[in-house]
Amino acid sequence: MKKYLSLMLSVLLVLSMLAGCGSKTETSAPATTTPADPSTPAAPTQAPADAKFKDDIIIGISGKIVALDPQENSNTQHNYYFRCVFDTPMDFNNQTAEIEPNICTEWSTDDAKTWNFTLRDDVYFHNGEKLTPEDIYYSFITRGPETSSTSSLSKYMESMEIKDDTHFSITLVNPNVDFPYLLTLPTASIICKKAVEAGDKDALGIGTGPYRLDSYEFGDYLKMVRNDEFWGEKAKAKSITLRYMPENSARLVALETGEIDVCQDPDTNELSHVTDNKDLELQSYTSSSIQYLAMNCESGIFTNQNLRLAVCYGVDCEELIDVTYNGDAMKCASTWGWNEYGYNGGGITEYTYDPEKAKEYLKMEGYDENNRFKFDLAVSSGTRKTMGELIQAQMKKINVDVTISEYDTAGLSQMTTNGEHEAAMYGCGTNVFGDDIARLIDSSTGVNKSHYHNEQVHELMISAAAELDDTKRKSMYGEVQQILFDTGAYLPVCCATSYFAVKKGIGGIDYYPTSHHDFSEMYFVEQ
């Protein structure tokens, strides 16, 4: 596992990248800060030089694969597949906290508004088509804005100019020092223009990555096989299969019996089954995925700010952490991740459990023990269901009745994106750059599960993304966090320590705090 990134500020990230790419932009580097006591996972294990590898690896995952399109899906299980099958313009190195070349070898800017790129000339899609800047243009400018996931990236772009077969430039709507980092995320996966426009079968599953799509049955499995024509280092496993197994205990049993080789998120109360088994190994990392309660600010009962705040003060997050994670999680002060630039800027206020204050907010809207407030809480299985049931019990103490509605992961994602919920337990992996939080609070993205919009926040985010002065930028992000707190935009709960249970001999997994892990260099050494 990777020794995960120190809390690098996004300006520093981009400046260090620019220094190696001939940028003319010059600013002073801000200081590095440290998160609130996160654990530090180890670096990915390196395979022994003389090792013999098993051909096939099966990963048991908790969520369904329901689509091939990297521009329409951005949840955990789909990103496992995207990172193996597709390429992004650049890569982010978790160990060095630096941006590195990928299918783009060079990039530069004079003003953080227009960025120039050089594309490799030896990259081919899995259908044999050569990658060109036309595919970049199609992915980001033509198709991206109309998709639910890549639209959050495309909205930064004003235009793109293709200069020749290997050079292009992208001009942004507003200057943004974080832009190169955005091009390392799975939502920046490049798709094949010719295949998609021709309507080829499974065209949206054609990438340029180290694995190619082999077969799938949505809601059951997706199998990838090694791309032996890959432009970079060849993968060690011949195939990787992502198999949907919704029950945590069932996945662990499947690992113990040899049905799968990797088990995502075993229940914390069953971890001893792994540590006591000589054939298994437990791998862990500190997640930056925030578990939160999202109340629909756009329609329905939670358009009322006082009712949102009543819920925020009526939930005991410490109890949720103690019961759901056996205390093995970090309480969140805001919707910013512990590793994200601007976290806790200016010393933000955070919600404390205060039932009496919650009742005061309810009373302002005419609710009490005789006229009880009611709402529906959408959850998926596992920890989010447990949290939902705990919240249901806690709400009774402030005379609020909660109905629990359970969905599978894909169903919960879709209905919350559509705004069909009153409230939902959900989660989001936060990236290291400050502007990443825009996904959660920008009304144009499918990641904004509260459907929250605040024009003051919107303007502050635009200004902060272009601000090169570290003190001013952190102050802006601190102000945003305070507004989110004051308006009850979200109730952040915690970032948990997360686990994978694996067969002995499994290595090379690149664990991201966002939970969007990279399995493309995974191997299984024969024992």
Side-chain angles (χ1 to χ4, degrees), residues 120-283:
R120 294 182 66 103
D121 63 356
D122 59 349
V123 180
Y124 291 84
F125 286 98
H126 301 147
N127 62 352
E129 293 286 347
K130 188 172 184 178
L131 173 72
T132 73
E134 290 285 350
D135 298 295
I136 309 290
Y137 190 99
Y138 183 75
S139 298
F140 293 160
I141 306 300
T142 303
R143 189 173 188 271
E146 305 304 319
T147 64
S148 62
S149 295
T150 303
S151 59
S152 61
L153 169 63
S154 296
K155 73 180 179 65
Y156 289 93
M157 305 179 194
E158 181 178 274
S159 61
M160 174 176 162
E161 179 186 356
I162 297 175
K163 299 179 179 180
D164 57 38
D165 290 345
T166 57
H167 295 89
F168 64 94
S169 64
I170 294 176
T171 299
L172 308 183
V173 175
N174 299 293
N176 194 310
V177 294
D178 292 329
F179 184 63
Y181 186 87
L182 296 173
L183 299 183
T184 72
L185 303 177
T187 48
S189 296
I190 305 303
I191 59 177
C192 181
K193 175 185 176 182
K194 289 183 179 179
V196 176
E197 288 188 330
D200 293 354
K201 182 180 182 299
D202 298 336
L204 290 167
I206 296 173
T208 59
Y211 284 88
R212 58 181 176 82
L213 181 67
D214 178 73
S215 58
Y216 62 90
E217 184 176 330
F218 287 148
D220 184 7
Y221 78 94
L222 183 144
K223 183 177 181 180
M224 304 168 286
V225 296
R226 185 169 62 202
N227 174 19
D228 289 329
E229 284 73 46
F230 180 55
W231 59 266
E233 183 178 347
K234 305 300 184 292
K236 295 179 174 62
K238 288 187 177 180
S239 78
I240 295 175
T241 300
L242 302 172
R243 182 166 295 281
Y244 173 55
M245 309 180 78
E247 296 299 326
N248 294 352
S249 294
R251 284 198 305 278
L252 187 54
V253 169
L255 179 70
E256 293 173 315
T257 59
E259 183 181 347
I260 62 175
D261 307 300
V262 177
C263 169
Q264 176 198 6
D265 296 338
D267 275 333
T268 53
N269 59 4
E270 295 182 332
L271 297 183
S272 61
H273 294 188
V274 181
T275 56
D276 292 343
N277 189 325
K278 64 180 179 61
D279 296 322
L280 304 180
E281 180 177 286
L282 192 64
Q283 300 179 351

Side-chain angles (χ1 to χ4, degrees), residues 168-430:
F168 64 94
S169 64
I170 294 176
T171 299
L172 308 183
V173 175
N174 299 293
N176 194 310
V177 294
D178 292 329
F179 184 63
Y181 186 87
L182 296 173
L183 299 183
T184 72
L185 303 177
T187 48
S189 296
I190 305 303
I191 59 177
C192 181
K193 175 185 176 182
K194 289 183 179 179
V196 176
E197 288 188 330
D200 293 354
K201 182 180 182 299
D202 298 336
L204 290 167
I206 296 173
T208 59
Y211 284 88
R212 58 181 176 82
L213 181 67
D214 178 73
S215 58
Y216 62 90
E217 184 176 330
F218 287 148
D220 184 7
Y221 78 94
L222 183 144
K223 183 177 181 180
M224 304 168 286
V225 296
R226 185 169 62 202
N227 174 19
D228 289 329
E229 284 73 46
F230 180 55
W231 59 266
E233 183 178 347
K234 305 300 184 292
K236 295 179 174 62
K238 288 187 177 180
S239 78
I240 295 175
T241 300
L242 302 172
R243 182 166 295 281
Y244 173 55
M245 309 180 78
E247 296 299 326
N248 294 352
S249 294
R251 284 198 305 278
L252 187 54
V253 169
L255 179 70
E256 293 173 315
T257 59
E259 183 181 347
I260 62 175
D261 307 300
V262 177
C263 169
Q264 176 198 6
D265 296 338
D267 275 333
T268 53
N269 59 4
E270 295 182 332
L271 297 183
S272 61
H273 294 188
V274 181
T275 56
D276 292 343
N277 189 325
K278 64 180 179 61
D279 296 322
L280 304 180
E281 180 177 286
L282 192 64
Q283 300 179 351
S284 67
Y285 64 97
T286 301
S287 173
S288 68
S289 291
I290 298 175
Q291 299 302 310
Y292 59 75
L293 174 63
M295 293 163 279
N296 192 332
C297 302
E298 186 178 48
S299 63
I301 54 176
F302 284 118
T303 56
N304 186 308
Q305 178 174 300
N306 285 335
L307 295 179
R308 297 198 302 268
L309 291 171
V311 173
C312 289
Y313 284 105
V315 173
D316 185 349
C317 292
E318 296 288 358
E319 183 183 34
L320 301 189
I321 292 170
D322 289 342
V323 175
T324 308
Y325 296 103
N326 294 323
D328 195 10
M330 188 192 329
K331 186 176 181 295
C332 294
S334 80
T335 46
W336 253 250
W338 57 262
N339 63 327
E340 186 175 358
Y341 173 77
Y343 174 70
N344 200 25
I348 63 163
T349 311
E350 60 181 278
Y351 299 114
T352 55
Y353 179 49
D354 191 338
E356 294 307 313
K357 192 168 186 176
K359 289 179 181 179
E360 290 175 10
Y361 279 112
L362 290 168
K363 189 175 181 180
M364 292 178 192
E365 303 305 322
Y367 293 104
D368 54 26
E369 64 274 13
N370 298 314
N371 181 31
R372 297 171 71 91
F373 177 51
K374 302 176 182 179
F375 70 90
D376 183 82
L377 179 58
V379 302
S380 53
S381 61
T383 57
R384 290 174 188 165
K385 182 180 179 180
T386 302
M387 283 189 181
E389 291 170 343
L390 288 168
I391 289 173
Q392 183 182 48
Q394 291 173 359
M395 289 291 101
K396 288 184 181 297
K397 298 177 183 179
I398 60 170
N399 305 312
V400 174
D401 296 324
V402 177
T403 302
I404 302 291
S405 297
E406 186 175 354
Y407 300 82
D408 61 29
T409 304
L412 183 65
S413 175
Q414 188 63 50
M415 63 95 67
T416 52
T417 296
N418 294 340
E420 298 165 355
H421 62 300
E422 290 184 329
M425 291 305 305
Y426 214 80
C428 181
T430 56

Side-chain angles (χ1 to χ4, degrees), residues 1 57-70 73-88 126 184-187 189 205 209-213 220-225 235 239-245 248 251 260-266 283-285 287 289 291 384 409 429 498-502 508-522:
M1 295 181 292
I57 302 176
I58 301 175
I59 305 171
I61 59 176
S62 61
K64 292 180 182 178
I65 302 289
V66 298
L68 301 179
D69 189 349
N73 301 273
S74 63
N75 56 27
T76 298
Q77 65 272 14
H78 285 89
N79 283 330
Y80 293 170
Y81 144 60
F82 298 152
R83 288 193 184 277
C84 289
V85 170
F86 297 89
D87 276 317
T88 55
H126 301 147
T184 72
L185 303 177
T187 48
S189 296
Y211 284 88
R212 58 181 176 82
L213 181 67
D220 184 7
Y221 78 94
L222 183 144
K223 183 177 181 180
M224 304 168 286
V225 296
S239 78
I240 295 175
T241 300
L242 302 172
R243 182 166 295 281
Y244 173 55
M245 309 180 78
N248 294 352
R251 284 198 305 278
I260 62 175
D261 307 300
V262 177
C263 169
Q264 176 198 6
D265 296 338
Q283 300 179 351
S284 67
Y285 64 97
S287 173
S289 291
Q291 299 302 310
R384 290 174 188 165
T409 304
S498 295
Y499 298 92
F500 269 69
V502 304
I509 303 174
D510 189 352
Y511 287 103
Y512 280 67
T514 57
S515 302
H516 300 159
H517 312 307
D518 187 349
F519 293 93
S520 64
E521 296 183 12
M522 179 174 57

